[in-house]
Amino acid sequence: MAPSPSAANPADLTATELLHLYARRALSPVAVTQAVIARAEAAEPRLHALYAFVPETALAAARASEARWMRGEALPLDGVPVTIKENIATKGVPMPLGTAARDDAPPSPADAPATARLREDGAVIVAHTTMPDYGMLSSGLSSFHPLTRNPWDLAKGPGGSSAGSGAAAAAGYGPLHLGTDIGGSVRLPAAWCGVVGHKPSYGRVPLDPPYYGRCAGPLTRTVADAALMMRTVSRPDERDPTALPPADLPWLDLDGLAVRGLRLGLVMEAGAGLPLDPGHRTVIEAAARLLAEAGAVIEPVGPLLTPGMLDGLDLFWRQRASLDIEALDEARRARVLPFIRDWAAGGRDVSGAMVFHGMSQMAAMRDAALTAIRPFDFLIGPVSPNPPFPAEHASPTNDPARAMAHIAYTVPFNMSEQPAIAVPAGFTPDGLPVGLQIAGRRFDDVGVLRLARAFERIRPALRPWPVVG
């Protein structure tokens, strides 16, 4: 079971619990927002998870929500605090994309699709959350934002690129947090911060603009809250030409899956990148045993990737980043995080044939992931090969030449457009969180959430949430 929330602090209540309490008039959205603001103000001097944190704006939204509840006109997420990753547009808020090269970014002219849906459903936007330069690191290191740290150990990073989202969720800055994921950027910080992180099927949550493999999804403390958030942010928006057709999915029906008889493929070796840490291996093997004891049929699956696939994708992303950075004037280029400049330089002078080969690795990853899941209902395995790493490092290797060595378990499911979730599974011997990844067939977001919920119920009790401040 999940850790029990602190009854003394509304900031620790789940969104599901808050909505029940609001409906009974047992708790006010204003009181909850005040608790979240107080939690953030106490922790932010050390954690640095937030951007564009304006408490007065959040309190005004909470007062409007309270009035709707009193009139009997409550909306689906009315009064529930939420944070939104900095690269998801909110009208009136600048979007620097984590880099000092855009420190004069103008206010966004309109809400992004997910932001619009959250606002329409009455969620209280407390703040935005930090990210590294251009979202191209799995860390909280940024040339624009202060260094974001991991609530479980402030010497460690939270992961990224949804760095602030993962840190805010673990630290209890309210229940709902929205991130983005193109290679693991929701699932990695979720795993390293000990929270749930759902990467939806590609196109399930409309984006503006969309891009290959990129998804927006929730980071929460419980699977039920992730499903609740998905019900809202998955509603259609015509600005995304790649979005899936509108679908009325049973997001909140999380008990409709029996573990007994499920066919689960266990992916323990990624085939590329860093080797699996022994502490992670122990936790994931224990999680697989729990599912087997619950009646699942588990079979080993070979590596999904080859080193060539990961290297090719890395080259393609370097070339894309190089084009963006080279388009800046000299002064702006100098403001980009040096690690990112060094990494992108590897894509500066590549041939068209090399770029085409690199891009083709997205299709190779897609085919490998879809082939792997074909005999199974779901694939399970690690989210990351390594535990949280020093906060000051740009990546687990801290080496631009091996910047993507840690994403081999997560990135295949971006390229294959499959839903995948990180759910807390246990802890390393040092007390740092370890996440279990569950990937489903294309478009089976509800199934992934249901299996994650089933695992959430059978895993051993987790440690109490960290307190920062």
Side-chain angles (χ1 to χ4, degrees):
M1 298 296 290
S4 298
S6 169
N9 195 327
D12 287 317
L13 296 174
T14 69
T16 306
E17 289 167 332
L18 289 178
L19 291 173
H20 286 308
L21 290 167
Y22 293 162
R24 291 166 39 206
R25 306 293 192 268
L27 192 60
S28 156
V30 174
V32 172
T33 302
Q34 288 171 333
V36 170
I37 289 169
R39 171 72 59 77
E41 288 178 338
E44 273 302 278
R46 303 179 71 193
L47 199 60
H48 301 299
L50 299 185
Y51 162 71
F53 178 37
V54 185
E56 295 80 8
T57 301
L59 285 170
R63 286 190 287 270
S65 171
E66 183 176 70
R68 286 191 294 271
W69 279 104
M70 296 304 293
R71 294 195 304 267
E73 299 174 357
L75 301 166
L77 288 179
D78 226 327
V80 177
V82 62
T83 71
I84 298 172
K85 189 177 178 182
E86 181 247 284
N87 67 339
I88 302 173
T90 295
K91 185 176 181 179
V93 178
M95 194 164 58
L97 303 181
T99 180
R102 289 173 49 92
D103 58 3
D104 58 352
S108 297
D111 285 341
T115 307
R117 302 295 88 77
L118 289 166
R119 203 189 296 276
E120 290 165 2
D121 279 3
V124 173
I125 300 174
V126 173
H128 291 68
T129 48
T130 59
M131 59 182 282
D133 289 53
Y134 299 106
M136 291 310 299
L137 294 177
S138 291
S139 80
L141 187 63
S142 164
S143 63
F144 178 81
H145 300 294
L147 178 62
T148 307
R149 297 181 179 273
N150 191 318
W152 292 94
D153 182 347
L154 294 176
K156 306 296 185 182
S161 63
S162 302
S165 304
Y173 292 10
L176 302 182
H177 308 271
L178 185 66
T180 61
D181 189 317
I182 196 172
S185 289
V186 161
R187 288 158 291 161
L188 288 166
W192 288 328
C193 291
V195 300
V196 173
H198 181 59
K199 183 208 78 68
S201 299
Y202 182 77
R204 181 68 71 200
V205 176
L207 298 175
D208 182 27
Y211 192 78
Y212 305 112
R214 184 169 179 259
C215 301
L219 293 95
T220 62
R221 287 183 170 185
T222 67
V223 174
D225 273 6
L228 187 66
M229 196 174 194
M230 282 298 302
R231 183 181 66 172
T232 290
V233 298
S234 64
R235 291 208 307 274
D237 193 297
E238 63 183 10
R239 289 174 286 177
D240 186 348
T242 70
L244 295 174
D248 185 17
L249 299 179
W251 291 110
L252 305 189
D253 180 12
L254 296 179
D255 298 323
L257 182 72
V259 174
R260 183 165 299 279
L262 285 179
R263 295 164 299 154
L264 306 181
L266 177 61
V267 183
M268 292 300 291
E269 306 301 333
L274 295 174
L276 183 60
D277 173 78
H280 276 49
R281 182 180 297 276
T282 298
V283 171
I284 299 306
E285 288 176 344
R289 284 195 299 272
L290 285 174
L291 289 165
E293 290 167 2
V297 178
I298 298 180
E299 298 179 17
V301 175
L304 271 60
L305 298 191
T306 65
M309 291 180 191
L310 192 59
D311 290 346
L313 180 68
D314 179 40
L315 178 66
F316 177 70
W317 280 351
R318 286 174 189 255
Q319 193 265 349
R320 185 193 68 170
S322 177
L323 291 176
D324 290 339
I325 292 171
E326 291 300 315
L328 302 173
D329 60 44
E330 185 175 352
R332 290 184 185 273
R333 282 199 301 273
R335 295 180 207 155
V336 176
L337 193 73
F339 185 99
I340 292 291
R341 292 203 311 267
D342 293 344
W343 169 74
R348 184 181 300 146
D349 298 317
V350 298
S351 68
M354 291 176 67
V355 173
F356 177 80
H357 172 74
M359 186 176 181
S360 71
Q361 299 313 298
M362 292 191 288
M365 289 182 184
R366 175 200 64 204
D367 294 346
L370 294 177
T371 297
I373 201 172
R374 195 167 293 137
F376 302 104
D377 298 303
F378 302 92
L379 297 178
I380 63 172
V383 178
S384 70
N386 58 284
F389 51 93
E392 294 79 10
H393 287 189
S395 72
T397 64
N398 207 32
D399 178 3
R402 304 180 66 215
M404 303 298 164
H406 57 289
I407 67 169
Y409 289 100
T410 50
V411 71
F413 304 116
N414 293 84
M415 300 305 117
S416 66
E417 306 184 357
Q418 295 169 248
I421 195 169
V423 60
F427 295 84
T428 68
D430 295 331
L432 297 172
V434 178
L436 172 72
Q437 181 170 232
I438 300 169
R441 294 174 177 270
R442 293 178 73 204
F443 317 130
D444 188 19
D445 293 80
V446 172
V448 165
L449 288 161
R450 285 173 172 171
L451 182 54
R453 176 62 180 136
F455 175 72
E456 196 177 50
R457 284 177 166 163
I458 63 175
R459 74 180 175 209
L462 299 179
R463 302 182 184 195
W465 294 108
V467 177
V468 182

